[in-house]
Amino acid sequence: MKNVNASIITIGDELLIGQVNDTNSAWIAQQLNKIGVAVKRRVAVGDSSEDIVKILDEESKYSDIILMTGGLGPTSDDITKNVLCDYFGGKMVVNKGALENVKYLFEKVFKRPVSAINLMQAEVPDVCEVIQNKRGSAPGMIFHKANVIYISMPGVPYEMKGIMGDSVIPLLKEKFELPIIVHRTMLTAGIGESALAEIIKDFEDALPTEIKLAYLPTYGMVRLRLSTTGFDK
């Protein structure tokens, strides 16, 4: 048994210029931590095919799971799907379930005609496993390469959370034998981080090697977090 590591990649120029705050990676990291998946890296990358390919190659060296969000929309700046299609050596095909979902959304929910550009949302690489999006038109996708699982999801937080909760978390729990990650936190107030470190130095030095202590300072208070992981709860 071994620890299972993950990388989170958020895609979009708007993230790099600060136009949109990246809340996706923080939320995904929290959900993975709850089930025992260790997040090793969180990376933001722009809408560049070269940069996306480069970061996929790099993260596959560190992680068993690579989770991506963003770039799955119907407009020209959304390139993630085509990049993944080339990266995994596939070709674009229409997924029947995704097509039915797009038509249902526009005809029954949005009450407006489906345009050609909207129908393109149903096109996916033929080398992926499709995750149907119950909250939007862009499906999620699962790829496999060299013992690494790659999961691509929409960048819209509401849609991503639905796919994570309905499909991704159950999939990871089924596929991997996951360890338990445990945190215990103490909140202190009225004392600074350095002074606190001096007071508890002997305690910290005596901690077992498998237990990590983190100092998390904010204005007027410091949280002390003890963390450990293992397969015996």
Side-chain angles (χ1 to χ4, degrees):
M1 293 186 291
K2 70 180 187 70
N3 290 337
V4 178
N5 299 327
S7 293
I8 302 171
I9 303 172
T10 50
I11 300 170
D13 290 341
E14 67 276 9
L15 301 172
L16 298 182
I17 64 175
Q19 189 177 37
V20 173
N21 290 327
D22 173 22
T23 60
N24 280 353
S25 63
W27 188 88
I28 292 172
Q30 291 170 1
Q31 306 313 305
L32 294 178
N33 190 266
K34 289 178 182 178
I35 65 170
V37 175
V39 176
K40 290 299 181 182
R41 311 232 299 185
R42 288 165 54 185
V43 186
V45 63
D47 295 305
S48 160
S49 58
E50 181 180 345
D51 291 343
I52 294 171
V53 168
K54 182 178 179 180
I55 205 66
L56 287 174
D57 285 340
E58 187 171 343
E59 294 310 309
S60 64
K61 300 174 185 176
Y62 304 99
S63 295
D64 308 289
I65 305 161
I66 296 177
L67 295 169
M68 298 164 272
T69 68
L72 300 184
T75 55
S76 60
D77 61 329
D78 292 308
I79 64 171
T80 300
K81 188 160 56 176
N82 289 325
V83 172
L84 293 176
C85 187
D86 292 339
Y87 186 78
F88 292 103
K91 62 181 180 181
M92 300 299 288
V93 296
V94 174
N95 178 265
K96 182 179 178 181
L99 181 62
E100 291 174 353
N101 185 54
V102 171
K103 290 181 176 179
Y104 170 79
L105 282 174
F106 280 85
E107 294 172 0
K108 304 297 184 182
V109 180
F110 303 150
K111 305 292 185 181
R112 62 176 187 263
V114 187
S115 67
I117 195 171
N118 296 131
L119 291 175
M120 288 176 61
Q121 292 285 72
E123 295 181 4
V124 298
D126 62 351
V127 289
C128 80
E129 177 185 342
V130 174
I131 308 174
Q132 298 301 342
N133 183 355
K134 299 176 183 178
R135 301 182 177 185
S137 58
M141 298 172 290
I142 302 172
F143 301 86
H144 299 272
K145 185 177 183 180
N147 295 320
V148 178
I149 182 170
Y150 302 75
I151 302 174
S152 176
M153 298 175 287
V156 179
Y158 174 71
E159 297 181 23
M160 175 276 295
K161 290 178 180 179
I163 288 176
M164 280 288 295
D166 293 340
S167 303
V168 175
I169 294 299
L171 169 69
L172 298 181
K173 290 170 73 173
E174 179 181 350
K175 182 176 179 60
F176 296 97
E177 188 168 2
L178 297 170
I180 299 98
I181 299 176
V182 178
H183 303 290
R184 293 292 182 268
T185 302
M186 174 180 284
L187 181 63
T188 70
I191 184 171
E193 182 181 11
S194 57
L196 190 58
E198 290 182 12
I199 291 174
I200 65 170
K201 182 179 185 304
D202 291 342
F203 167 80
E204 185 172 0
D205 291 343
L207 282 173
T209 55
E210 68 270 17
I211 297 180
K212 295 181 179 180
L213 174 64
Y215 294 80
L216 307 171
T218 55
Y219 184 75
M221 60 185 65
V222 179
R223 280 184 296 154
L224 298 173
R225 188 192 68 226
L226 292 169
S227 301
T228 190
T229 183
F231 287 90
D232 184 343
K233 187 173 183 179

